[in-house]
Amino acid sequence: MMVRGLLPASTMRIMKSHIMKIQYWTKCCRRGEGPWRLPGRGNDIWRIYYLSLEFYMGRTLQNTMVNLGLQNACDEAIYQLGLDLEELEEIEEDAGLGNGGLGRLAACFLDSMATLGLAAYGYGIRYEFGIFNQKIVNGWQVEEADDWLRYGNPWEKARPEYMLPVHFYGRVEHTPDGVKWLDTQVVLAMPYDTPVPGYKNNTVNTMRLWSAKAPNDFKLQDFNVGDYIEAVLDRNLAENISRVLYPNDNFFEGKELRLKQEYFVVAATLQDIIRRFKSSKFGCRDPVRTCFETFPDKVAIQLNDTHPALSIPELMRILVDVEKVDWDKAWEITKKTCAYTNHTVLPEALERWPVSMFEKLLPRHLEIIYAINQRHLDHVAALFPGDVDRLRRMSVIEEGDCKRINMAHLCVIGSHAVNGVARIHSEIVKQSVFKDFYELEPEKFQNKTNGITPRRWLLLCNPGLADTIVEKIGEEFLTDLSQLKKLLPLVSDEVFIRDVAKVKQENKLKFSAFLEKEYKVKINPSSMFDVHVKRIHEYKRQLLNCLHVVTLYNRIKRDPAKAFVPRTVMIGGKAAPGYHMAKLIIKLVTSIGDVVNHDPVVGDRLKVIFLENYRVSLAEKVIPAADLSQQISTAGTEASGTGNMKFMLNGALTIGTMDGANVEMAEEAGAENLFIFGLRVEDVEALDRKGYNAREYYDHLPELKQAVDQISSGFFSPKEPDCFKDIVNMLMHHDRFKVFADYEAYMQCQAQVDQLYRNPKEWTKKVIRNIACSGKFSSDRTITEYAREIWGVEPSDLQIPPPNIPRD
């Protein structure tokens, strides 16, 4: 058994050799700095900048080997040394620099942009501590710091030569020479570059993450001679900016440190973008381009949610204050350069910063935002004279006890394109969240349904299934996932049905062995693997799943002689540390598991497992083993989802509501090949108008009443009978997400799942149809749409010669 930090020297040499090869590859492709593009075009090219506060990359070793086509060679080399490559891969820490969907989407997009030959950079923060490690202690979530850099990170390269200053605080002075931002506190942004290889095309792009460093004179001048030690210790205040990822998913927490993080990444990145724009050719940093007319033709900035929204006022500040561009021209350049992706419609997730915080931290940006807002409102007032309510709704500044800046409004106003991330979500964005803005500029709004990279989420995590598909249709589907349609004629092919079922069973056996080894849990590998993995949140309705489990348990207890389809229900995900209800939901899942798993009457027919510390590397194991994928959010709340796509591609059937990308999955595969249930968006809206009354459902559905009463009475928490009172109170009196309203339909749909699972051949036919129809959900398709319809560039399938072959 290998221990981290004690690898055999021979293994270290092999790893070093491959890392050096990748770094050399990266260097060659950069031709100095930045991704290489097309022959003979020099540095005078367009570039795409994907700005995100999160990049949930997971592990890199296997992904790099896959994309460079080195996996078999490395496997053989490691085997020759008497070692196991899988064991080596398990030693690598996940780069958990994201919370969930948004951060993982950014990682998939980087893979696709490199694979499509786009000259693209990912820009973010190099958090010293990523998403916390989750431990379950007495059924409760306990957070541990994720010290992922403890043993170093072999994939990154520090680039101190590109270190940049970022300014905070200070005051603004309006002078005859222009506006000056003075007396600021400076923090240095140190870039770390990670190579992002495309799939077998010899293209390597760059993810540049910024780390905060205190300047050498930080605070020293503020102290007397005797306080030198205190002054040096205070350097931590500056360096705290990149210390830790905020662990909230779909929830806004208005902390000053978070605002600092958002400005830090934006300020450093825009300086980098403008330096590169001004440079004339590779290796030359002389500023030769002073005219910004062509800036939007050369630069595309994509804002991943509102977190990098400060790009808009910061670009305006640089153009107007530093480069002396006329305001109207600067605004035109800014709008043409920036585009905004909206990721959520939940009101508690929208960023609304207090004006007082801005005034202190970023005084010049506040002035710029006020000026942007004034011009915007003047334009609205001219088009809709006398409509004061519309002005209030559309303002960037929200009046009230605490004046706030609505960052989503700033993004919409300051971008030339606004997109949602699934068709249903984009319609909600147009008809509800940004209705007034859509009426003003309908041409600005688009849809870009999310996708996943088939390299990591099929080839890497499910090689058995990938090989089975390759045998039938060849390898081209890995860069053109729509080719999976070629599997449709094989839906009834006996041999193919057997092969697909065999791969699934092997994956289930492997995952069962993993659970037994890591979690000391023994499960029945022939049971249905019913999997619900995602962040724990009320809107994702893990509670609806819990009610189903309790109802199943009660049915088994009531009629133990009856034949039940055996199920292993797996629920996994992290709760934000301050989210009381989400943490209580985890406790409920573990408590139900304690009762169900130890009841001899139930035996192997029902097991409930909470998957501790769900993360990218665990997803790569559980998704290929899943039979049933739970995607059961209240209709109109999940923007898209991407886990749903991963399960579909890996041969799990979906039980889900008509929400997010589920709608398009049902459209692609046929609704009869998914298990669709529950209220539609219009039903939810009608229920809101009528008034949702949970007690009506509780009184009229005996099985629901029994389950709720058991949770309420302490049946699942005998030592703490009141443990789940808050959950029951919420479900009965203020459940925004209408769990009870969908309970009956969900139970009926689960009965259909059982019925189909009893017929393995028919089940596998639906699995094959789902796999064959999952081609739309490749991030390559998504990025191709972004490139053509937002960034105005064309992807390339050109293969760059490898570094050992000379180029002209």
Side-chain angles (χ1 to χ4, degrees), residues 54-68:
E54 300 182 20
F55 285 97
Y56 203 172
M57 303 299 286
R59 290 169 174 164
T60 297
L61 176 60
Q62 193 181 357
N63 189 71
T64 304
M65 292 188 298
V66 163
N67 278 11
L68 295 185

Side-chain angles (χ1 to χ4, degrees), residues 267-394:
T269 300
L270 278 170
Q271 288 180 74
D272 224 25
I273 290 171
I274 287 166
R275 170 188 59 76
R276 215 174 271 127
F277 169 76
K278 284 182 169 183
S279 295
S280 59
K281 56 181 181 285
F282 286 112
C284 171
R285 278 181 279 157
D286 298 333
V288 294
R289 214 192 248 125
T290 51
C291 174
F292 281 82
E293 283 281 347
T294 60
F295 191 77
D297 302 325
K298 305 295 179 191
V299 174
I301 295 173
Q302 190 68 37
L303 308 177
N304 193 28
D305 214 338
T306 56
H307 310 142
L310 286 165
S311 299
I312 292 163
E314 174 67 1
L315 184 52
M316 285 297 289
R317 185 189 70 80
I318 293 168
L319 293 174
V320 174
D321 294 359
V322 181
E323 302 294 343
K324 308 301 180 190
V325 177
D326 168 75
W327 179 282
D328 290 336
K329 187 77 219 167
W331 183 239
E332 185 191 334
I333 290 166
T334 298
K335 274 185 78 167
K336 282 183 177 174
T337 302
C338 296
Y340 160 56
T341 301
N342 174 273
H343 281 275
T344 182
V345 298
L346 298 177
E348 65 267 34
L350 298 175
E351 291 194 299
R352 296 154 65 249
W353 290 104
V355 165
S356 55
M357 194 184 288
F358 253 84
E359 203 164 21
K360 182 174 72 159
L361 192 69
L362 301 166
R364 178 57 182 146
H365 296 78
L366 181 61
E367 289 185 350
I368 290 168
I369 289 167
Y370 268 119
I372 290 169
N373 193 43
Q374 190 56 58
R375 285 166 169 78
H376 160 64
L377 292 181
D378 289 346
H379 176 56
V380 174
L383 291 171
F384 302 93
D387 195 342
V388 179
D389 202 46
R390 184 181 292 267
L391 292 178
R392 180 189 55 75
R393 293 195 308 266
M394 294 184 75

Side-chain angles (χ1 to χ4, degrees), residues 331-332 335-336 375-376 379-380 383-384 390 394 408-419 429-430 434-446:
W331 183 239
E332 185 191 334
K335 274 185 78 167
K336 282 183 177 174
R375 285 166 169 78
H376 160 64
H379 176 56
V380 174
L383 291 171
F384 302 93
R390 184 181 292 267
M394 294 184 75
H409 288 185
L410 179 62
C411 284
V412 174
I413 293 163
S415 299
H416 71 277
V418 175
N419 72 280
V429 161
K430 291 192 292 189
F434 299 132
K435 185 172 187 286
D436 295 311
F437 295 92
Y438 176 64
E439 286 174 9
L440 191 68
E441 298 177 286
E443 70 288 346
K444 186 183 274 192
F445 289 80
Q446 304 188 13

Side-chain angles (χ1 to χ4, degrees), residues 489-507:
L490 301 171
V491 164
S492 299
D493 183 294
E494 297 286 344
V495 175
F496 192 61
I497 290 170
R498 192 188 65 232
D499 289 348
V500 169
K502 182 167 176 274
V503 166
K504 179 62 74 177
Q505 198 52 39
E506 285 168 356
N507 290 339

Side-chain angles (χ1 to χ4, degrees), residues 622-637:
V622 68
I623 290 170
D627 291 307
L628 187 69
S629 158
Q630 298 253 8
Q631 310 295 334
I632 58 176
S633 52
T634 310
T637 60

Side-chain angles (χ1 to χ4, degrees), residues 587-608:
K587 175 63 174 171
L588 178 62
V589 173
T590 58
S591 299
I592 292 170
D594 286 343
V595 171
V596 170
N597 299 346
H598 296 106
D599 193 322
V601 174
V602 174
D604 260 3
R605 290 179 287 187
L606 182 62
K607 284 273 187 280
V608 181

Side-chain angles (χ1 to χ4, degrees), residues 28-31 34-48 113-114 116-120 201 203-205 282 793-801 807:
C28 289
C29 292
R30 283 200 190 109
R31 280 284 190 260
W36 183 88
R37 205 36 208 105
L38 294 171
R41 298 228 3 222
N43 204 30
D44 191 22
I45 57 163
W46 45 261
R47 287 188 177 86
I48 294 146
M113 289 189 284
L116 291 167
L118 296 170
N201 64 351
T203 292
V204 183
N205 283 350
F282 286 112
V793 298
E794 191 63 29
S796 163
D797 57 3
L798 182 82
Q799 206 174 72
I800 297 168
R807 282 187 282 169

Side-chain angles (χ1 to χ4, degrees), residues 53-57 95-99 125-127 130 148 209 245:
L53 267 282
E54 300 182 20
F55 285 97
Y56 203 172
M57 303 299 286
L97 307 186
N99 278 288
I125 293 179
R126 179 182 177 265
Y127 299 106
W148 73 289
L209 303 181
L245 168 76

